Amino acid sequence: MHTFTSQEYFQQLIEGCVIPTTEQGVQQIWQLLAICLGCRVLWRLSLPTCLKHLSTVAGGFYCLYHFFQLQMIWVVLLSLLCYLVLFLCRHSSHRGVFLSITILIYLLMGEMHMVDTASWHKMRGAQMIVAMKAISLGFDLDRGVLLTVPSPVAFMGYIYFVGTVIFGPWISFSSYLQAVESRKMSFSWFIKVIFSMGSSLFCLIISTCVAPYLFSYFIPIYGDQLLRRWLRAYENAVSFHFSNYFVGFISETTATLSGAGFTDEKDHIRWDLVVSKPLNVELPRSMVEVVTSWNLPMSHWLNSYVFRSSLTLGTFPAIIVTYAASALLHGLSFHLAAILLSLGFITYVEHVLRKRLSSIFSACILSKRCPPACSHQYKMQNPLVWIVNLAFGILALFHLAYLGCLFDVDADDSVEEQGYGMSHTIAKWSELNWASHWVTFGCWVFYRLIR
C-alpha cells in the first residue's frame, strides 16, 4: 500500500480539500455579499428613509429565497405574526413577554407539526434571528428605550436587514437605524470587511480539512482505546468550534458590509463588530469565558432580555432559564438541549467555586478576569495564581472536548439535518464515562464543603 510523504499529503490536502472547500464557500455567499454591498451603496444616496427600509426588505427577501427557496415563507409568517402581536399589544407594558410566548408557541408548532424536521432545521438560524430581534424590540419598548412602535416598513426593514437576515448577528433596532443612515465607506471599513471575510474562510478550512484529522495526521498521538476516544472527541469539538467561527466571521462580514457594527467616537468611526473570540474558546480561562466569547451578540441578548428578567427567581434559576431559552431558540434538538443545560450547571458550579476560592485566598482566580485595581492580595502575576488559572483552563478544555464529542464529523448529512437523537447523546457520553458531569458534581460537592 502506497504511503504518502508529508509533501504529498499536504499537496493532496490542498488540492482535494482546501481549494474545493474555499470555492464552495465563496460560491455559497457571493450573492449575499453583493446584495449587502449594493444596499450599502444605495443607502449612501439621498433617498427617503421609507425607500431605504423597502430596499433592505427586498434584499432580505431575495437572500432568504436564495438560501431557503419557498421554505422562506415560514420565516415571513413569523415576522408577520410578531408585528401583529406588537400592534395588538401596543398599549401594554408587557409586549416583550407576549412576543416571547407567541414566538415560543410558533417555534414549537413548527418544529413538531407544520414542517418536516430537515427543512425546519435549515431555517433555524434565520428563525432565531427574527425571534431575537422581535423580542428585544418588545422589551425595549417596555423599558422606554424605544418610545413608539416602529412603522410596519421600519419593523420589516429591521427584521429583514440584509446584513443579518441569514447568518446574523443580532443587532438592536437603533443599530439598524444607524446602519440605514449609512456612514462613509472608509478604508478602515474596507479592511474590516476583508479581515472578517478572510478569517471566515480560514475557519471553514480548519473545520473541514484540518480538525477532523488533527491527531491522525497533523499531530500523531497513539494510545489505548480510551485515549483515542478523548482525542476523537477533541477533534469533533474543534471542528464544530471552527464551523461556528466561520458563521461568526461571515456574519461580521455581511453586517459590516451593510454598514452595521460600528462605534461613533466624535469625528472618528470604529468598525469594531466582534461576534466570536476564538482564542478565548480554544485557550480558555474558564467555561464562563467560553460561553460569553462563543457568540458575543447573542450572549448580550440573553443577558439583557432573559437573565436580567429572570433574576427575581434567584441566580441559579435565572441561569437555568437563560440556557433553557437558548436551547428553545436553537430548536427541539435533544443533543443541543443536553449540551446547553449541562453548560448551565458547569458554568454555575465553576463560578461559585472560583468565587469562593478567590475569597478564601484573596487571589485573582475568578471566572472572569479581575480589573487591574482589584482588592485581591495575590494578583495575576503570582506564580500560584497563574497555575490555578491554568488548571481551570485545562479543566475547561476537558469540558469542551466532552461536550463537543456529540458533533460527530463522521455522521451522515441526513443525520445532522434531522438532529442527533437521545440515543446518540447517551452513547457518546457513555463512551467517555459521563466524566464531565461527574467532575462537575465533584466540584459542586467541594464547593459545598468549603462554603
Side-chain angles (χ1 to χ4, degrees):
M1 186 174 68
H2 176 67
T3 304
F4 286 106
T5 64
S6 296
Q7 185 177 356
E8 288 174 332
Y9 172 73
F10 283 109
Q11 185 177 352
Q12 281 289 107
L13 182 72
I14 292 171
E15 294 176 356
C17 187
V18 173
I19 293 175
T21 298
T22 305
E23 289 176 347
Q24 187 177 4
V26 172
Q27 185 179 5
Q28 286 287 325
I29 63 174
W30 75 267
Q31 290 190 49
L32 173 61
L33 298 177
I35 293 173
C36 289
L37 180 60
C39 287
R40 179 91 163 91
V41 172
L42 185 65
W43 297 335
R44 291 293 299 159
L45 305 176
S46 300
L47 297 175
T49 304
C50 182
L51 287 181
K52 292 183 178 181
H53 292 315
L54 288 174
S55 66
T56 192
V57 171
F61 267 54
Y62 178 84
C63 292
L64 284 170
Y65 182 77
H66 174 68
F67 281 90
F68 309 120
Q69 284 73 51
L70 291 178
Q71 297 291 344
M72 65 172 279
I73 190 66
W74 300 108
V75 181
V76 176
L77 283 175
L78 176 59
S79 65
L80 293 173
L81 181 62
C82 288
Y83 193 77
L84 176 63
V85 172
L86 199 61
F87 178 77
L88 294 176
C89 302
R90 61 190 181 278
H91 300 304
S92 171
S93 59
H94 300 288
R95 285 164 286 199
V97 174
F98 286 127
L99 275 168
S100 301
I101 295 172
T102 302
I103 289 169
L104 175 61
I105 294 172
Y106 180 86
L107 294 179
L108 291 176
M109 289 180 63
E111 189 95 32
M112 295 186 292
H113 300 293
M114 295 190 297
V115 190
D116 64 278
T117 305
S119 298
W120 188 262
H121 282 187
K122 288 179 183 178
M123 299 179 292
R124 189 162 50 194
Q127 299 271 32
M128 187 190 307
I129 294 299
V130 172
M132 292 170 66
K133 286 180 176 179
I135 291 171
S136 66
L137 187 62
F139 278 107
D140 284 346
L141 287 166
D142 293 339
R143 296 170 181 176
V145 177
L146 297 175
L147 300 179
T148 57
V149 176
S151 67
V153 175
F155 177 83
M156 292 302 170
Y158 173 50
I159 295 296
Y160 297 111
F161 177 54
V162 68
T164 62
V165 69
I166 302 298
F167 295 106
W170 168 80
I171 60 172
S172 65
F173 184 70
S174 58
S175 296
Y176 162 70
L177 293 179
Q178 290 178 336
V180 171
E181 290 174 6
S182 190
R183 298 300 195 271
K184 184 179 178 181
M185 299 167 71
S186 62
F187 181 71
S188 61
W189 167 80
F190 177 74
I191 292 297
K192 172 64 177 176
V193 170
I194 295 298
F195 174 78
S196 297
M197 183 65 193
S199 299
S200 69
L201 293 176
F202 172 77
C203 291
L204 178 62
I205 290 168
I206 295 295
S207 174
T208 308
C209 305
V210 177
Y213 316 105
L214 188 61
F215 295 115
S216 51
Y217 292 105
F218 291 94
I219 311 174
I221 297 178
Y222 306 99
D224 59 17
Q225 188 176 8
L226 182 60
L227 177 61
R228 289 198 299 271
R229 286 175 183 171
W230 276 100
L231 293 177
R232 191 59 181 159
Y234 186 75
E235 286 178 341
N236 290 341
V238 171
S239 180
F240 174 68
H241 293 176
F242 276 86
S243 68
N244 174 74
Y245 306 147
F246 163 69
V247 174
F249 282 117
I250 279 293
S251 67
E252 278 185 23
T253 305
T254 55
T256 305
L257 196 59
S258 303
F262 62 86
T263 303
D264 198 344
E265 298 178 342
K266 296 182 180 179
D267 298 329
H268 176 65
I269 293 177
R270 256 186 329 123
W271 297 93
D272 55 359
L273 175 63
V274 177
V275 175
S276 299
K277 292 183 176 180
L279 283 178
N280 287 358
V281 178
E282 302 308 318
L283 300 173
R285 172 189 174 88
S286 65
M287 287 300 290
V288 172
E289 186 176 68
V290 167
V291 297
T292 54
S293 300
W294 184 257
N295 188 317
L296 273 73
M298 186 165 192
S299 177
H300 175 74
W301 184 89
L302 288 168
N303 183 61
S304 299
Y305 302 107
V306 182
F307 180 73
R308 291 182 184 176
S309 300
S310 308
L311 267 179
T312 52
L313 303 173
T315 302
F316 179 68
I319 290 174
I320 297 303
V321 168
T322 302
Y323 281 98
S326 180
L328 289 169
L329 283 172
H330 282 86
L332 290 180
S333 176
F334 183 86
H335 79 288
L336 280 177
I339 288 171
L340 289 168
L341 291 175
S342 296
L343 272 173
F345 286 102
I346 291 169
T347 52
Y348 172 75
V349 171
E350 180 194 53
H351 168 70
V352 294
L353 175 60
R354 294 182 72 163
K355 184 178 180 181
R356 182 59 183 153
L357 291 173
S358 175
S359 175
I360 292 172
F361 297 107
S362 186
C364 295
I365 54 176
L366 292 168
S367 297
K368 295 184 177 180
R369 299 178 190 275
C370 293
C374 70
S375 59
H376 293 130
Q377 180 180 353
Y378 299 103
K379 305 292 185 180
M380 282 292 300
Q381 296 78 12
N382 186 283
L384 290 177
V385 170
W386 188 85
I387 290 171
V388 171
N389 285 322
L390 177 63
F392 275 109
I394 294 171
L395 181 60
L397 287 175
F398 161 79
H399 288 307
L400 286 171
Y402 177 83
L403 296 172
C405 75
L406 301 185
F407 299 94
D408 194 348
V409 295
D410 296 326
D412 294 333
D413 291 340
S414 59
V415 175
E416 292 185 21
E417 289 176 359
Q418 292 286 339
Y420 301 106
M422 181 171 65
S423 58
H424 170 86
T425 303
I426 293 174
K428 285 292 184 180
W429 280 348
S430 295
E431 288 179 0
L432 301 179
N433 303 312
W434 300 88
S436 179
H437 289 94
W438 282 114
V439 169
T440 302
F441 177 71
C443 290
W444 178 78
V445 171
F446 178 62
Y447 159 71
R448 297 296 296 183
L449 290 174
I450 65 174
R451 187 178 176 184

